[in-house]
PDB file of all heavy atoms in Angstrom:
ATOM      1  N   TRP A1425      16.984  -6.916 -11.130  1.00 95.00           N
ATOM      2  CA  TRP A1425      17.774  -7.467 -10.025  1.00 95.00           C
ATOM      3  C   TRP A1425      18.583  -6.337  -9.420  1.00 95.00           C
ATOM      4  O   TRP A1425      19.225  -5.558 -10.120  1.00 95.00           O
ATOM      5  CB  TRP A1425      18.684  -8.581 -10.545  1.00 95.00           C
ATOM      6  CG  TRP A1425      19.663  -9.104  -9.539  1.00 95.00           C
ATOM      7  CD1 TRP A1425      19.415  -9.888  -8.462  1.00 95.00           C
ATOM      8  CD2 TRP A1425      21.082  -8.878  -9.539  1.00 95.00           C
ATOM      9  NE1 TRP A1425      20.560 -10.161  -7.780  1.00 95.00           N
ATOM     10  CE2 TRP A1425      21.618  -9.563  -8.421  1.00 95.00           C
ATOM     11  CE3 TRP A1425      21.948  -8.170 -10.366  1.00 95.00           C
ATOM     12  CZ2 TRP A1425      22.971  -9.556  -8.112  1.00 95.00           C
ATOM     13  CZ3 TRP A1425      23.305  -8.156 -10.065  1.00 95.00           C
ATOM     14  CH2 TRP A1425      23.795  -8.851  -8.942  1.00 95.00           C
ATOM     15  N   ASN A1426      18.507  -6.215  -8.096  1.00 93.00           N
ATOM     16  CA  ASN A1426      19.134  -5.092  -7.392  1.00 93.00           C
ATOM     17  C   ASN A1426      18.606  -3.757  -7.924  1.00 93.00           C
ATOM     18  O   ASN A1426      19.342  -2.777  -8.045  1.00 93.00           O
ATOM     19  CB  ASN A1426      20.662  -5.129  -7.516  1.00 93.00           C
ATOM     20  CG  ASN A1426      21.300  -6.033  -6.476  1.00 93.00           C
ATOM     21  OD1 ASN A1426      20.677  -6.409  -5.493  1.00 93.00           O
ATOM     22  ND2 ASN A1426      22.548  -6.399  -6.702  1.00 93.00           N
ATOM     23  N   SER A1427      17.342  -3.724  -8.263  1.00 92.00           N
ATOM     24  CA  SER A1427      16.733  -2.496  -8.767  1.00 92.00           C
ATOM     25  C   SER A1427      15.289  -2.428  -8.303  1.00 92.00           C
ATOM     26  O   SER A1427      14.713  -3.428  -7.867  1.00 92.00           O
ATOM     27  CB  SER A1427      16.810  -2.425 -10.294  1.00 92.00           C
ATOM     28  OG  SER A1427      15.892  -3.322 -10.890  1.00 92.00           O
ATOM     29  N   ARG A1428      14.702  -1.233  -8.433  1.00 93.00           N
ATOM     30  CA  ARG A1428      13.320  -1.016  -7.998  1.00 93.00           C
ATOM     31  C   ARG A1428      12.644  -0.056  -8.958  1.00 93.00           C
ATOM     32  O   ARG A1428      13.271   0.888  -9.455  1.00 93.00           O
ATOM     33  CB  ARG A1428      13.278  -0.467  -6.575  1.00 93.00           C
ATOM     34  CG  ARG A1428      11.874  -0.519  -5.957  1.00 93.00           C
ATOM     35  CD  ARG A1428      11.922  -0.376  -4.452  1.00 93.00           C
ATOM     36  NE  ARG A1428      10.624  -0.654  -3.852  1.00 93.00           N
ATOM     37  CZ  ARG A1428      10.210  -1.864  -3.505  1.00 93.00           C
ATOM     38  NH1 ARG A1428      11.007  -2.900  -3.686  1.00 93.00           N
ATOM     39  NH2 ARG A1428       9.019  -2.055  -2.986  1.00 93.00           N
ATOM     40  N   VAL A1429      11.371  -0.287  -9.213  1.00 94.00           N
ATOM     41  CA  VAL A1429      10.587   0.532 -10.130  1.00 94.00           C
ATOM     42  C   VAL A1429       9.760   1.535  -9.334  1.00 94.00           C
ATOM     43  O   VAL A1429       9.124   1.174  -8.343  1.00 94.00           O
ATOM     44  CB  VAL A1429       9.665  -0.346 -10.999  1.00 94.00           C
ATOM     45  CG1 VAL A1429       8.826   0.521 -11.933  1.00 94.00           C
ATOM     46  CG2 VAL A1429      10.478  -1.356 -11.793  1.00 94.00           C
ATOM     47  N   ARG A1430       9.805   2.787  -9.740  1.00 93.00           N
ATOM     48  CA  ARG A1430       8.943   3.801  -9.133  1.00 93.00           C
ATOM     49  C   ARG A1430       7.527   3.598  -9.646  1.00 93.00           C
ATOM     50  O   ARG A1430       7.277   3.698 -10.846  1.00 93.00           O
ATOM     51  CB  ARG A1430       9.437   5.211  -9.464  1.00 93.00           C
ATOM     52  CG  ARG A1430       8.527   6.316  -8.930  1.00 93.00           C
ATOM     53  CD  ARG A1430       9.179   7.673  -9.074  1.00 93.00           C
ATOM     54  NE  ARG A1430       9.360   8.077 -10.449  1.00 93.00           N
ATOM     55  CZ  ARG A1430       8.455   8.739 -11.172  1.00 93.00           C
ATOM     56  NH1 ARG A1430       7.279   9.047 -10.635  1.00 93.00           N
ATOM     57  NH2 ARG A1430       8.707   9.090 -12.420  1.00 93.00           N
ATOM     58  N   VAL A1431       6.606   3.302  -8.737  1.00 94.00           N
ATOM     59  CA  VAL A1431       5.223   3.038  -9.136  1.00 94.00           C
ATOM     60  C   VAL A1431       4.574   4.352  -9.548  1.00 94.00           C
ATOM     61  O   VAL A1431       4.547   5.309  -8.770  1.00 94.00           O
ATOM     62  CB  VAL A1431       4.431   2.376  -7.993  1.00 94.00           C
ATOM     63  CG1 VAL A1431       2.989   2.134  -8.420  1.00 94.00           C
ATOM     64  CG2 VAL A1431       5.095   1.065  -7.587  1.00 94.00           C
ATOM     65  N   PRO A1432       4.038   4.441 -10.760  1.00 92.00           N
ATOM     66  CA  PRO A1432       3.442   5.709 -11.196  1.00 92.00           C
ATOM     67  C   PRO A1432       2.099   5.968 -10.534  1.00 92.00           C
ATOM     68  O   PRO A1432       1.366   5.037 -10.186  1.00 92.00           O
ATOM     69  CB  PRO A1432       3.277   5.500 -12.712  1.00 92.00           C
ATOM     70  CG  PRO A1432       3.105   4.028 -12.858  1.00 92.00           C
ATOM     71  CD  PRO A1432       3.968   3.404 -11.792  1.00 92.00           C
ATOM     72  N   MET A1433       1.773   7.245 -10.369  1.00 90.00           N
ATOM     73  CA  MET A1433       0.436   7.624  -9.950  1.00 90.00           C
ATOM     74  C   MET A1433      -0.505   7.450 -11.141  1.00 90.00           C
ATOM     75  O   MET A1433      -0.069   7.297 -12.285  1.00 90.00           O
ATOM     76  CB  MET A1433       0.425   9.074  -9.458  1.00 90.00           C
ATOM     77  CG  MET A1433       1.283   9.322  -8.236  1.00 90.00           C
ATOM     78  SD  MET A1433       1.313  11.073  -7.782  1.00 90.00           S
ATOM     79  CE  MET A1433      -0.441  11.381  -7.498  1.00 90.00           C
ATOM     80  N   ALA A1434      -1.804   7.487 -10.869  1.00 90.00           N
ATOM     81  CA  ALA A1434      -2.779   7.300 -11.941  1.00 90.00           C
ATOM     82  C   ALA A1434      -2.616   8.359 -13.025  1.00 90.00           C
ATOM     83  O   ALA A1434      -2.813   8.082 -14.213  1.00 90.00           O
ATOM     84  CB  ALA A1434      -4.193   7.328 -11.371  1.00 90.00           C
TER      85      ALA A1434
END
Side-chain angles (χ1 to χ4, degrees):
W1425 173 73
N1426 276 344
S1427 74
R1428 193 163 190 87
V1429 179
R1430 176 170 66 88
V1431 179
M1433 297 176 59

